[in-house]
């Protein structure tokens, strides 16, 4: 197998993970969680979003969270925004990196932002101008890149055109997001490979949901296409409030567990991440979709099984 030596994981739990949770966590608790994942070795964290507090009440306090976290110089703390207003709030909160998000699907933009794709993109230009003046780094995200619950398949050209649009605005770090878990491995491989061939200077991320159990397979397919940056969420939390049936980002601890087994360095301590994921499960007050939390690490089980076998012999 062609596997990378190392990958970068962005912990999106504080944003994509929590945004759909009914039980509202305090800003202080969110700050603790962000500091904890950084202490576990995470180098990129999505700390929240600067969008309408009415639309996403859980993240209404991102300003406060941004001001309260311990900032480590080697760690990237980014927030999701969708327009100029979000950019203004991010700057005011002292955030140095933002992620501008547009959906590849017209219907998803309508239901998510109440605007057409063209309108969403038009709004980016003012935001980009302000970012340039204020020295903010901007990345981009294309949601529903691998399928939309309203429109079905999204033609590859549509994705690549949006990548080109981002590049023309000066954005060279782009996340291809499987918002509703519709991606499948051969598609991720082909889109990823083509995107990297056409835009070799772009740093591509994959944002994968495990709605249909394919996130990990898609991640491996992405690695085969040369992609080495992946979003994941503690405890497998997540889901898009505007996409019917969408649930669960791939769990950070599940990803680290697999990477540890196949010798891909993530720089993140699995045991620490499992502890955080267990606490998060208590925070949100319901069972989550993390495999490792349910089953434990496979190597621990093998040792236990070996001992049992020895006793039986
Ligand atoms: Mg998502």
């Amino acid at each position: 197998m062609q596997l990378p030596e190392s990958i970068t994981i962005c912990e999106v739990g504080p944003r994509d993970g929590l945004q759909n949770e009914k039980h509202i966590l305090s800003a202080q608790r969110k700050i603790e969680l962000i500091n904890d994942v950084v202490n576990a070795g995470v180098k990129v964290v999505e700390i929240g979003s600067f969008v309408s507090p009415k639309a996403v009440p859980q993240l209404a306090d991102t300003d406060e969270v941004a001001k309260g976290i311990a900032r480590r110089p080697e760690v990237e703390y980014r927030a999701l925004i969708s327009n100029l207003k979000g950019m203004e709030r991010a700057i005011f909160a002292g955030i140095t990196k933002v992620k501008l998000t547009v959906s590849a699907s017209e219907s998803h933009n309508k239901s998510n932002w109440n605007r057409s794709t063209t309108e969403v993109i038009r709004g980016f230009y003012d935001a980009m101008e302000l970012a340039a003046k204020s020295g903010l780094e901007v990345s981009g995200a294309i949601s529903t890149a691998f399928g939309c619950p309203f429109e079905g398949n999204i033609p590859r050209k549509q994705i690549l055109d949006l990548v080109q649009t981002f590049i023309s605005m000066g954005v060279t770090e782009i996340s291809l997001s499987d918002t509703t878990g519709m991606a499948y491995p051969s598609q991720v491989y082909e889109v990823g490979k083509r995107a990297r061939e056409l835009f070799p200077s772009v740093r591509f991320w994959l944002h994968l949901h495990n709605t249909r159990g394919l996130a990990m397979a898609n991640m491996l397919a992405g690695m085969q296409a040369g992609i080495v940056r992946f979003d994941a969420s503690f405890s497998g939390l997540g889901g898009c409030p505007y996409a019917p049936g969408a649930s669960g980002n791939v769990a950070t601890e599940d990803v680290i567990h697999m990477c540890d087994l196949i010798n891909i360095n993530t720089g993140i301590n699995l045991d620490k991440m499992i502890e955080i994921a267990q606490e998060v499960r208590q925070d949100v007050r319901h069972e989550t979709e993390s495999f490792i939390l349910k089953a434990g690490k496979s190597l621990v089980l093998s040792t236990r099984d070996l001992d049992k076998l020895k006793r039986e012999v």
Side-chain angles (χ1 to χ4, degrees):
M1 285 178 91
Q2 289 252 311
L3 295 172
E5 271 177 34
S6 64
I7 60 164
T8 302
I9 294 174
C10 172
E11 175 55 65
V12 296
R15 198 277 303 172
D16 204 12
L18 289 179
Q19 73 176 7
N20 212 18
E21 289 298 330
K22 285 197 181 66
H23 180 72
I24 307 275
L25 274 63
S26 69
Q28 189 49 43
R29 181 61 189 137
K30 290 171 191 163
I31 292 165
E32 274 169 19
L33 283 172
I34 292 164
N35 291 341
D36 286 351
V37 298
V38 167
N39 288 333
V42 168
K43 292 282 184 294
V44 186
V45 198
E46 203 159 292
I47 65 146
S49 64
F50 296 105
V51 296
S52 158
K54 245 187 252 164
V56 191
Q58 177 72 262
L59 302 181
D61 58 4
T62 298
D63 313 73
E64 197 183 337
V65 172
K67 287 175 184 160
I69 49 178
R71 305 279 178 99
R72 291 221 202 149
E74 75 278 18
V75 176
E76 207 175 273
Y77 301 91
R78 76 179 185 204
L80 184 143
I81 65 168
S82 69
N83 55 24
L84 180 62
K85 187 146 191 266
M87 189 72 85
E88 287 167 351
R89 283 176 64 196
I91 291 167
F92 192 69
I95 284 291
T96 53
K97 174 106 183 221
V98 291
K99 188 166 93 172
L100 274 172
T101 300
V102 61
S103 183
S105 138
E106 198 67 48
S107 330
H108 194 252
N109 280 317
K110 273 261 149 60
S111 69
N112 213 347
W113 311 115
N114 202 21
R115 276 176 292 167
S116 71
T117 310
T118 317
E119 283 167 338
V120 173
I121 288 169
R122 207 180 294 140
F124 286 175
Y125 286 90
D126 291 343
M128 284 300 294
E129 209 177 296
L130 181 60
K133 271 189 219 151
S134 315
L136 244 79
E137 231 190 297
V138 181
S139 65
I142 302 170
S143 52
T144 64
F146 300 98
C148 165
F150 310 113
E151 294 185 12
N153 187 44
I154 301 287
R156 193 168 71 179
K157 189 180 177 301
Q158 220 163 299
I159 313 298
L160 298 173
D161 285 351
L162 278 174
V163 171
Q164 184 60 63
T165 304
F166 269 126
I167 293 173
S168 66
M169 289 189 292
V171 174
T172 54
E173 182 176 359
I174 296 165
S175 170
L176 304 175
S177 304
D178 185 26
T179 315
T180 64
M182 291 172 74
Y184 50 94
S186 55
Q187 177 197 30
V188 171
Y189 176 76
E190 275 154 25
V191 172
K193 194 161 174 279
R194 190 76 189 120
R196 290 194 66 240
E197 278 165 7
L198 285 174
F199 312 108
S201 61
V202 170
R203 282 170 290 157
F204 283 104
W205 286 80
L206 281 176
H207 175 99
L208 301 165
H209 281 246
N210 201 33
T211 320
R212 294 172 179 85
L214 289 174
M216 214 70 114
N218 289 335
M219 187 175 287
L220 278 176
M223 289 181 194
Q224 302 295 303
I227 295 177
V228 291
R229 296 175 188 85
F230 303 92
D231 289 350
S233 170
F234 41 42
S235 208
L237 290 191
C240 175
Y242 308 103
S247 68
N249 286 271
V250 65
T252 312
E253 59 278 11
D254 289 353
V255 175
I256 301 167
H257 178 259
M258 175 179 79
C259 288
D260 283 0
L261 286 173
I262 59 179
N263 285 323
I264 296 174
N265 183 26
T266 63
I268 306 171
N269 182 294
L270 177 58
D271 291 321
K272 282 188 185 167
M273 209 59 223
I274 290 174
E275 271 178 43
I276 295 167
Q278 283 166 336
E279 288 176 14
V280 164
R281 187 169 55 179
Q282 288 176 344
D283 286 327
V284 298
R285 304 178 177 184
H286 61 78
E287 188 53 81
T288 59
E289 294 175 55
S290 159
F291 287 95
I292 296 306
L293 286 198
K294 285 176 195 147
K297 296 190 285 185
S298 60
L299 286 179
V300 172
L301 285 185
S302 344
T303 316
R304 203 190 297 154
D305 290 349
L306 275 177
D307 287 346
K308 193 172 158 231
L309 277 177
K310 274 185 212 152
R311 278 198 304 276
E312 279 166 5
V313 170

